[in-house]
């Protein structure tokens, strides 16, 4: 809806391999969390890989698409949808907005500026220091790790305890058999 949320696509040209590109989804999620914390002092959490939540309600989502060759990423488009001034009646079940959380209108311009600042800072950190700094930040916001999860991907599901993420942003799940399986995408329950 007009004037309600922040919906943007950002084109990046990272010097990473295609296999490492999922880190950019985590970078976007961390940047949203940091921007909301800085602008409104709200505690925001990340559900792996691309949902940003407040009080277990979805505040933002991220979709990342890539154009790449075998060994080189040409560009990545990060799509971000952040519910800012959306009214409760316009939100789907299980979603929330910043306005719903603080009880007043939020400046979308100021929120967008803070979000872009955070993305730029984290992107520079990724380029200068590698993915570990982003992963460490992501861990500080996650609600996924340490929990029993079911991940639905490619018409099957994997169930177990979410134990960590690896350097590429893949979720590591310890199945009941004790085997650890890496998942790169899917819907986490």
């Amino acid at each position: 809806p007009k004037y309600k949320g922040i919906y943007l696509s950002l084109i990046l040209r990272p010097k990473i391999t295609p296999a490492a590109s999922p880190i950019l989804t985590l970078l976007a999620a961390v940047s949203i969390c940091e921007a909301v914390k800085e602008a409104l002092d709200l505690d925001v959490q990340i559900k792996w890989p691309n949902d940003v939540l407040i009080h277990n309600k979805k505040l933002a989502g991220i979709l990342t698409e890539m154009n790449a060759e075998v060994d080189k990423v040409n560009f990545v488009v990060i799509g971000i949808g952040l519910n800012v001034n959306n009214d409760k009646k316009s939100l789907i079940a299980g979603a929330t907005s910043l306005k719903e959380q603080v009880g007043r209108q939020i400046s979308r311009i100021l929120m967008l500026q803070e979000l872009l600042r955070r993305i730029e800072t984290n992107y520079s950190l990724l380029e200068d220091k590698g993915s570990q700094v982003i992963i460490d930040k992501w861990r500080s916001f996650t609600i996924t790790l340490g929990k029993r999860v079911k991940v639905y991907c490619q018409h099957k599901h994997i169930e177990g305890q979410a134990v960590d993420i690896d350097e590429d942003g893949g979720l590591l799940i310890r199945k009941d058999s004790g085997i650890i399986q890496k998942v790169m995408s899917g819907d986490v329950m």
Side-chain angles (χ1 to χ4, degrees):
K2 246 182 177 180
Y3 311 113
K4 299 294 182 182
I6 294 173
Y7 312 103
L8 67 102
S9 294
L10 185 63
I11 299 173
L12 301 175
R13 299 182 190 284
K15 293 176 177 72
I16 59 176
T17 64
S21 67
I23 195 68
L24 296 171
T25 300
L26 304 184
L27 183 150
V30 164
S31 298
I32 292 167
C33 291
E34 290 176 339
V36 170
K37 181 71 175 166
E38 177 64 26
L40 300 170
D41 198 29
L42 292 173
D43 289 324
V44 189
Q45 298 173 310
I46 303 168
K47 182 177 91 168
W48 184 90
N50 59 351
D51 289 341
V52 177
L53 311 173
I54 293 181
H55 306 298
N56 290 318
K57 292 185 175 185
K58 188 170 177 177
L59 176 68
I62 302 154
L63 180 62
T64 307
E65 295 192 17
M66 171 180 56
N67 178 289
E69 296 168 29
V70 174
D71 60 345
K72 174 185 149 197
V73 172
N74 295 320
F75 63 87
V76 174
V77 179
I78 300 175
I80 296 174
L82 173 60
N83 297 328
V84 180
N85 290 316
N86 308 67
D87 296 314
K88 191 173 188 171
K89 66 180 188 274
S90 71
L91 295 166
I92 62 169
T96 190
S97 69
L98 295 174
K99 177 184 172 186
E100 290 296 314
Q101 294 299 312
V102 299
R104 62 177 167 80
Q105 289 282 117
I106 306 299
S107 168
R108 290 184 317 138
I109 292 171
L110 294 176
M111 193 71 237
L112 178 59
Q113 288 172 334
E114 188 61 37
L115 174 58
L116 292 175
R117 261 194 296 277
R118 295 301 174 146
I119 291 171
E120 181 178 30
T121 298
N122 287 322
Y123 189 65
S124 292
L125 281 172
L126 177 66
E127 287 183 321
D128 294 345
K129 298 188 178 191
S131 63
Q132 192 59 51
V133 67
I134 302 303
I135 290 169
D136 290 343
K137 285 182 169 203
W138 182 89
R139 284 184 181 123
S140 73
F141 290 109
T142 186
I143 62 165
T144 306
L145 297 185
K147 297 217 171 121
R148 184 157 184 85
V149 296
K150 240 187 223 185
V151 180
Y152 294 91
C153 57
Q154 300 171 344
H155 308 294
K156 62 180 182 176
H157 76 274
I158 299 157
E159 192 171 346
Q161 182 172 8
V163 292
D164 206 354
I165 58 171
D166 70 2
E167 67 277 356
D168 296 328
L171 182 63
L172 303 177
I173 299 172
R174 181 182 297 116
K175 296 176 9 176
D176 293 338
S177 65
I179 294 172
I180 293 184
Q181 184 167 350
K182 177 179 175 176
V183 179
M184 289 307 295
S185 65
D187 192 20
V188 175
M189 300 295 182

